[in-house]
Amino acid sequence: MRVVAALGGNALLRRGEPLTAENQRANARAAAASLAEIVRAGHDLVVTHGNGPQVGLLALQGAAYKPEEAYPLDVLGAETGGMIGYMLEQELENALDHAQPVATLLTQVVVDGRDPAFRTPTKFIGPVYSREEAEARASAAGWQIARDGDRWRRVVASPAPVEIPDIRVLELLLGQGVIVICTGGGGIPVLRLSDGSLTGVEAVIDKDAASALLARQLDADALLLLTDVDAVYRDFGREGQAALRSLTPERARGLDLPAGSMGPKIAAAAAFAEANGGLAGIGRLDQAVAILNRTAGTWVARGG
């Protein structure tokens, strides 16, 4: 099978961990060990990943510049794609004993400049803060902030992905047996101008939505949305919570789930399963192969 595996941001930096290269390297090594099992099971693999903490860190570093000299989010997204891709690429090569080529592709993703998301930023990036510190940083830097659990973070525009113009390059690499790491952080957000040219835009695309679009355009057999929770739960965190194992796209869309966590994953899973007829699985990174075999996680597919 052709499998697109989307790693949540916690695959490279767990909540509360310092944003150090050492922590990210250790988490990339653990992620690569699980991804290698997918390859050993005989599947063709495409890997995507989040970048919320990393792009936020680079934006903080950019605050040292004058406002007019700071790099925009599309450039910072490209930088994080290279940084995270490098770590995953190297660790995956090591996990597979260099038996199969691995390549990282910085991937442009077209969005619509008229998307209402540009008027209502919702995408969390960067570290978490107390409300007081977040408000102080927002006032100094012109940020918009929102509550993330019991803490506060910066939010930026998250327009829907429309097109992946680099799909031809991806197909060439996959045709040569290359494991590809791409669409990092949801891809590099770009606009297509009236003359057909592309230009970057200040935004961060949701990684799950971009991964679902990628899986559809690649005609993948399965989309794995891998996180640190073993399944999608009804009434998660409350008495009587129950894991949901098998869902149709229609039932998945009817679930009331948090917009900042499982909501985007369920929406992406339903979109892929409905469009391609393949399996969309949600669950723990270390159970990736079991999710493919429908012995772990939550599965979204036509007919459930």
Side-chain angles (χ1 to χ4, degrees):
M1 292 197 299
R2 177 174 286 184
V3 178
V4 173
L7 308 183
N10 50 35
L12 294 163
L13 195 72
R14 295 181 175 87
R15 182 177 287 267
E17 279 188 330
L19 287 158
T20 64
E22 290 78 11
N23 283 337
Q24 293 182 76
R25 169 70 70 178
N27 290 331
R29 186 174 299 119
S34 294
L35 294 171
E37 291 303 313
I38 299 175
V39 178
R40 293 193 186 100
H43 304 300
D44 297 327
L45 178 64
V46 179
V47 181
T48 70
H49 59 80
N51 72 341
Q54 292 84 1
V55 77
L57 174 64
L58 292 184
L60 282 175
Q61 292 174 344
Y65 293 96
K66 296 176 183 178
E68 66 273 14
E69 295 176 346
Y71 284 89
L73 284 173
D74 62 307
V75 175
L76 299 183
E79 290 184 18
T80 60
M83 174 181 69
I84 298 169
Y86 156 66
M87 291 186 181
L88 284 173
E89 179 180 322
Q90 190 175 77
E91 294 300 336
L92 191 49
E93 287 172 337
N94 290 339
L96 293 169
D97 296 322
H98 299 267
Q100 193 165 344
V102 184
T104 299
L105 178 69
L106 297 183
T107 317
Q108 300 175 91
V109 176
V110 176
V111 300
D112 188 341
R114 298 164 296 182
D115 193 308
F118 286 107
R119 297 191 298 272
T120 310
T122 58
K123 180 69 174 177
F124 290 114
I125 67 169
V128 296
Y129 303 104
S130 67
R131 180 169 185 171
E132 293 75 16
E133 185 177 2
E135 289 177 342
R137 289 182 179 272
S139 177
W143 290 356
Q144 290 184 263
I145 58 173
R147 182 188 292 274
D148 183 11
D150 60 352
R151 306 281 280 174
W152 289 74
R153 294 176 75 188
R154 180 185 177 187
V155 289
V156 300
S158 182
V162 174
E163 174 195 353
I164 301 175
D166 298 319
I167 205 76
R168 291 177 298 172
V169 181
L170 289 165
E171 288 284 12
L172 286 171
L173 291 169
L174 292 170
Q176 296 299 313
V178 178
I179 298 168
V180 183
I181 301 164
C182 63
T183 326
I188 303 165
V190 298
L191 299 175
R192 188 178 295 282
L193 304 182
S194 58
D195 63 358
S197 62
L198 300 177
T199 187
V201 64
E202 186 84 346
V204 173
I205 303 169
D206 180 75
K207 173 264 304 172
D208 296 317
S211 299
L213 175 61
L214 174 73
R216 295 199 303 272
Q217 288 197 251
L218 288 176
D219 197 23
D221 300 290
L223 169 65
L224 298 181
L225 301 165
L226 302 172
T227 180
D228 58 352
V229 179
D230 67 326
V232 178
Y233 280 78
R234 182 191 295 112
D235 299 325
F236 182 72
R238 287 179 278 181
E239 186 176 355
Q241 69 176 21
L244 302 172
R245 294 300 179 189
S246 181
L247 299 169
T248 63
E250 295 78 16
R251 187 181 173 206
R253 286 198 182 92
L255 297 174
D256 183 18
L257 297 170
S261 56
M262 279 298 177
K265 289 179 172 53
I266 275 291
F272 169 75
E274 189 169 63
N276 279 50
L279 170 71
I282 302 172
R284 289 173 56 94
L285 172 61
D286 59 2
Q287 296 180 327
V289 173
I291 297 169
L292 283 175
N293 294 332
R294 297 197 183 205
T295 58
T298 295
W299 326 296
V300 180
R302 294 177 187 171

